[in-house]
């Protein structure tokens, strides 16, 4: 029972008791010893009437609360198959309306763990009820975790999807989406849920002059468009309600490439043994002239589906090579940079030639360029992927396997893949401080990497306790917000020259 309902019950009891005590005292002290007085009788009637009105009102509120409680529980039991407390849309709107602050970054996210445009029967299945219930319980606990305590958040369930209000940065939102996606797949595996899980997120930024219900509707529109186009996460654009979103987005990306609106941010990597920063990961951002800085979650999946990802990947590689050439000329500290390449690159005939041409154009030492691929890439066409990776290594490039541990790789494939470094997915790092199983999984991955003579990087490290545990486990490298968020070139150069981590180490020598 929530605080409001408890308050209504307590208030009703207090008013009732007060009315009874008042009448007893009045009759005892006034009517019996002193007889009747018109003024006192009038006062009594007025006070008694006022209290009676309050009592009746509180009684009505209590009655309505009980009815709402029954409907509330009944609705949740229908959705989740259990009597759990989880806000419906009406309660969600009431709560969120009180805390909205449009001067800050706030979003409504419409999330569904399955594609909602399937036949109706699946929504009544026992397995989906279990999945929804576990996700509801997950959301209930999620924002009490240390890393999310700074967030302002509310969650409800409506029309076969979760509706999330969140106050955070776009990068934090991207990470939250990754966490939720990982959790839905974990629940599916743990509970042996045999329905096809495919997460979709529709995101709409809260604006001052747009009603909350309209914002929720817009997030639902974005999610449905994402389902239609097989895009995992998509931001609402006004063009979506005009039916021109695909063409507009495709044209916008082409123009952004032409106008050089894409920029590269660098995420430093720290080596635990040498206690020095030994490289970084290049992350693309879209600095739109019209919309400001746009997170990759808003355009990468779309670019992949529309065949534009090769141009973006090549753009990032060229920008990194330009930056390395510039740093070399100015005598700056040169460290390797890893660049993410899409699975679609391995089906692009000119992929190898394009990489070689860009590196040679800027006369960059191949040892300074590292190629990051996901486990999904290695799973797609192993013969083709291995062939291309070997040729990349022949060019002098290192190969990093990203998102390691999410299920695509197996021991046999790891034996033959020509990779140099594995990156432990952050979902395994998140709980290593408090969860024994998570710690042992990470320990096993590190040992596995060492046995294959591979370097191991832990992603998503956010606090000193995680660092200490990973250090004891002999993890090689770390990257995450504990050391630095992704930063543009100038800030990255300054960071390498003047950061507290290396200064602290130098001071101790």
């Amino acid at each position: 029972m929530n605080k409001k309902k408890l308050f209504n019950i307590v208030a009703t009891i207090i008013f009732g008791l007060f009315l009874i005590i008042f009448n007893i005292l009045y009759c005892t002290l006034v009517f019996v010893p002193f007889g009747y007085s018109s003024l006192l009788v009038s006062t009594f009637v007025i006070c008694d009437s006022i209290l009676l009105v309050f009592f009746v009102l509180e009684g009505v509120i209590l009655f309505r609360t009980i009815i709402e409680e029954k409907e509330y529980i009944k609705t949740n039991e229908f959705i989740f198959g259990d009597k759990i407390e989880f806000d419906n849309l009406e309660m969600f709107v009431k709560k969120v309306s009180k805390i909205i602050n449009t001067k800050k970054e706030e979003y409504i996210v419409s999330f569904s763990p399955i594609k909602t445009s399937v036949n109706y029967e699946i929504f009544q299945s026992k397995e989906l009820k279990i999945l929804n219930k576990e996700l509801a319980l997950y959301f209930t606990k999620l924002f009490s975790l240390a890393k999310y305590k700074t967030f302002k958040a509310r969650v409800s369930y409506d029309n076969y999807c979760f509706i999330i209000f969140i106050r955070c940065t776009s990068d934090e939102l991207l990470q939250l989406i990754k966490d939720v996606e990982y959790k839905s797949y974990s629940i599916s595996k743990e509970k042996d849920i045999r329905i096809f899980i495919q997460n979709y997120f529709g995101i709409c930024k809260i604006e001052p002059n747009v009603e909350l219900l309209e914002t929720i509707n817009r997030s639902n529109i974005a999610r449905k468009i994402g389902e239609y186009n097989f895009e995992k996460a998509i931001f609402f654009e006004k063009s979506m309600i005009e039916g021109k979103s695909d063409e507009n987005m495709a044209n916008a990306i082409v123009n952004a490439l032409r106008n050089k609106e894409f920029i590269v941010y660098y995420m430093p990597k720290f080596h635990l043994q040498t206690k020095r920063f030994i490289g970084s990961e290049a992350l693309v951002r879209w600095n739109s002239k019209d919309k400001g800085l746009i997170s990759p979650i808003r355009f990468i999946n779309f670019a992949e589906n529309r065949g534009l990802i090769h141009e973006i990947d090549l753009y990032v590689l060229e920008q990194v090579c330009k930056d390395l050439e510039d740093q070399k000329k100015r005598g700056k500290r040169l460290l390797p940079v890893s660049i993410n390449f899409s699975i679609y690159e391995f089906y692009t005939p000119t992929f190898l030639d394009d990489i070689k041409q860009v590196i040679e154009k800027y006369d960059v030492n191949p040892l300074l360029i590292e190629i990051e691929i996901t486990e999904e890439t290695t799973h797609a066409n192993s013969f083709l992927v291995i062939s291309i990776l070997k040729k990349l290594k022949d060019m002098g490039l290192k190969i990093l396997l990203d998102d390691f541990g999410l299920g695509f790789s197996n021991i046999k494939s790891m034996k033959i893949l020509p990779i140099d470094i594995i990156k432990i997915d952050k979902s395994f790092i998140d709980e290593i401080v408090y969860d024994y199983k998570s710690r042992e999984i990470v320990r096993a991955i590190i040992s596995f990497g060492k046995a294959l003579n591979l370097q191991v990087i832990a992603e998503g490290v956010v606090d000193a306790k995680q660092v200490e545990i990973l250090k004891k486990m002999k993890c090689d490298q770390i990257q995450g917000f504990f050391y630095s968020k992704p930063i543009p070139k100038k800030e990255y150069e300054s960071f390498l020259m003047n950061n507290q981590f290396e200064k602290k180490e130098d001071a101790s020598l």
Side-chain angles (χ1 to χ4, degrees):
M1 187 172 293
N2 63 34
K3 292 180 180 179
K4 184 177 179 181
K5 294 171 186 174
L6 184 62
F7 174 81
N8 287 334
I9 292 171
V10 172
T12 302
I13 294 170
I14 291 173
F15 273 119
L17 290 174
F18 187 85
L19 184 61
I20 292 168
I21 293 169
F22 179 87
N23 279 308
I24 292 172
L25 289 174
Y26 190 89
C27 292
T28 303
L29 299 175
V30 177
F31 283 97
V32 176
F34 301 107
Y36 292 97
S37 166
S38 59
L39 179 61
L40 289 175
V41 171
S42 299
T43 304
F44 169 77
V45 171
I46 293 170
C47 293
D48 202 33
S49 298
I50 293 172
L51 289 172
L52 185 60
V53 168
F54 274 111
F55 181 75
V56 171
L57 287 174
E58 285 299 319
V60 170
I61 292 171
L62 178 60
F63 177 74
R64 288 182 61 186
T65 300
I66 293 171
I67 297 299
E68 287 176 1
E69 174 87 8
K70 288 182 178 179
E71 289 297 319
Y72 181 67
I73 294 295
K74 185 178 178 181
T75 302
N76 281 344
E77 189 172 8
F78 177 76
I79 296 169
F80 306 120
D82 206 350
K83 297 179 179 179
I84 68 170
E85 286 202 14
F86 200 73
D87 285 347
N88 58 21
L89 186 62
E90 183 182 356
M91 292 301 297
F92 174 82
V93 170
K94 286 180 181 178
K95 291 179 179 178
V96 172
S97 296
K98 295 177 181 178
I99 59 174
I100 285 178
N101 182 353
T102 52
K103 293 180 180 178
K104 299 183 178 181
E105 285 188 85
E106 296 178 327
Y107 303 89
I108 293 293
V109 180
S110 173
F111 158 63
S112 175
I114 66 169
K115 195 169 186 176
T116 58
S117 56
V118 296
N119 58 46
Y120 181 78
E121 284 72 17
I122 193 171
F123 295 110
Q124 306 309 315
S125 71
K126 182 179 178 181
E127 289 182 318
L128 186 58
K129 288 179 184 290
I130 293 170
L131 176 62
N132 281 336
K133 176 191 170 183
E134 293 297 323
L135 283 169
L137 295 174
Y138 168 71
F139 281 122
T140 302
K141 297 176 182 177
L142 180 66
F143 299 106
S144 63
L145 297 177
K147 66 175 181 175
Y148 288 124
K149 278 187 177 177
T150 57
F151 287 29
K152 202 74 175 176
R154 293 285 186 275
V155 188
S156 77
Y157 190 92
D158 178 67
N159 197 25
Y160 307 119
C161 66
F162 290 91
I163 305 296
I164 307 165
F165 162 78
I166 188 79
R167 182 185 297 158
C168 62
T169 66
S170 58
D171 281 339
E172 289 170 332
L173 175 61
L174 176 61
Q175 188 54 61
L176 175 67
I177 286 173
K178 286 184 178 179
D179 290 346
V180 172
E181 184 181 29
Y182 173 74
K183 186 63 179 180
S184 69
Y185 287 118
S186 298
I187 293 170
S188 175
K189 187 175 181 180
E190 291 167 7
K191 301 294 180 180
D192 194 26
I193 294 172
R194 300 187 180 184
I195 55 177
F196 184 69
I197 305 298
Q198 181 61 62
N199 290 217
Y200 291 101
F201 300 85
I203 308 155
C204 186
K205 190 170 184 178
I206 294 177
E207 298 177 0
N209 300 320
V210 181
E211 293 290 334
L212 180 57
L213 282 172
E214 175 59 23
T215 305
I216 293 170
N217 182 50
R218 290 179 175 186
S219 70
N220 282 325
I221 290 172
R223 175 180 52 77
K224 289 175 182 177
I225 290 174
E227 289 183 17
Y228 179 78
N229 292 314
F230 298 98
E231 294 185 54
K232 178 175 67 178
I234 185 170
F235 275 74
F236 173 81
E237 301 285 349
K238 289 183 180 178
S239 59
M240 289 177 179
I241 47 183
E242 299 168 1
K244 299 179 181 178
S245 59
D246 281 6
E247 290 78 10
N248 288 348
M249 176 62 88
N251 290 334
I253 289 175
V254 171
N255 289 332
L257 286 164
R258 185 184 300 119
N259 299 328
K260 302 188 184 302
E261 292 182 5
F262 291 106
I263 56 176
V264 174
Y265 276 44
Y266 294 91
M267 186 81 158
K269 298 175 186 175
F270 188 77
H271 197 280
L272 285 172
Q273 276 65 53
T274 63
K275 297 180 182 179
R276 288 287 184 273
F277 288 97
I278 62 166
S280 66
E281 178 181 358
L283 300 168
V284 65
R285 299 290 185 268
W286 181 356
N287 191 18
S288 170
K289 293 178 181 177
D290 301 323
K291 300 171 185 176
L293 200 63
I294 301 175
S295 170
I297 193 174
R298 297 181 61 178
F299 61 87
I300 289 296
N301 286 343
F302 180 87
E304 288 182 334
N305 292 332
R306 293 300 294 266
L308 295 168
I309 194 63
H310 179 65
E311 285 75 13
I312 293 177
D313 285 349
L314 212 60
Y315 182 100
V316 173
L317 173 64
E318 183 151 11
Q319 189 57 57
V320 168
C321 288
K322 278 183 182 179
D323 289 347
L324 288 170
E325 180 191 44
D326 178 60
Q327 290 164 359
K328 181 181 177 181
K329 286 179 179 178
R330 293 186 293 115
K332 296 293 183 180
R333 184 175 173 184
L334 286 177
L335 296 177
V337 181
S338 63
I339 303 167
N340 293 277
F341 283 92
S342 166
I343 183 175
Y344 295 94
E345 296 290 9
F346 289 79
Y347 300 94
T348 303
T350 61
F351 177 47
L352 290 169
D353 290 337
D354 289 341
I355 288 180
K356 185 177 181 181
Q357 184 178 352
V358 172
I359 292 174
E360 289 178 349
K361 177 181 177 181
Y362 294 97
D363 192 27
V364 172
N365 186 336
L367 293 175
L368 292 174
I369 300 295
E370 301 172 342
I371 305 296
E372 283 203 30
I373 61 171
T374 63
E375 289 191 351
E376 181 185 14
T377 303
T378 66
H379 188 67
N381 184 330
S382 58
F383 179 80
L384 175 65
V385 169
I386 290 171
S387 174
I388 292 174
L389 292 180
K390 284 182 177 178
K391 290 177 181 177
L392 289 170
K393 284 183 68 67
D394 288 342
M395 291 165 56
L397 309 178
K398 284 188 176 181
I399 310 297
L400 285 72
L401 186 59
D402 199 6
D403 300 336
F404 186 81
L406 291 185
F408 288 102
S409 291
N410 54 56
I411 294 174
K412 185 179 178 180
S413 67
M414 289 299 295
K415 185 175 69 173
I416 59 176
L417 280 173
I419 59 174
D420 303 284
I421 301 169
I422 57 175
K423 299 181 74 175
I424 305 174
D425 188 77
K426 83 169 291 296
S427 58
F428 295 103
I429 305 300
D430 288 340
E431 299 176 349
I432 60 171
V433 175
Y434 309 103
D435 183 67
Y436 170 78
K437 287 184 178 179
S438 296
R439 282 198 300 276
E440 292 309 305
I441 289 171
V442 172
R443 192 191 309 277
I445 292 174
I446 293 172
S447 299
F448 178 68
K450 298 289 185 183
L452 296 179
N453 199 29
L454 302 173
Q455 287 275 304
V456 181
I457 300 177
E459 292 187 284
V461 176
V462 295
D463 62 48
K465 290 181 181 178
Q466 291 174 329
V467 173
E468 193 59 34
I469 290 171
L470 291 164
K471 188 176 181 180
K472 289 178 180 178
M473 291 180 179
K474 307 294 184 185
C475 184
D476 298 300
Q477 302 175 39
I478 286 179
Q479 69 179 84
F481 279 31
F482 177 75
Y483 292 106
S484 173
K485 63 181 182 180
I487 47 180
K489 176 192 171 187
K490 287 185 179 179
E491 290 182 36
Y492 174 62
E493 288 181 3
S494 299
F495 178 86
L496 292 180
M497 294 295 293
N498 186 29
N499 65 81
Q500 59 173 322
F501 304 100
E502 291 179 334
K503 272 188 172 183
K504 183 179 179 181
E505 177 59 22
D506 292 339
S508 64
L509 295 177

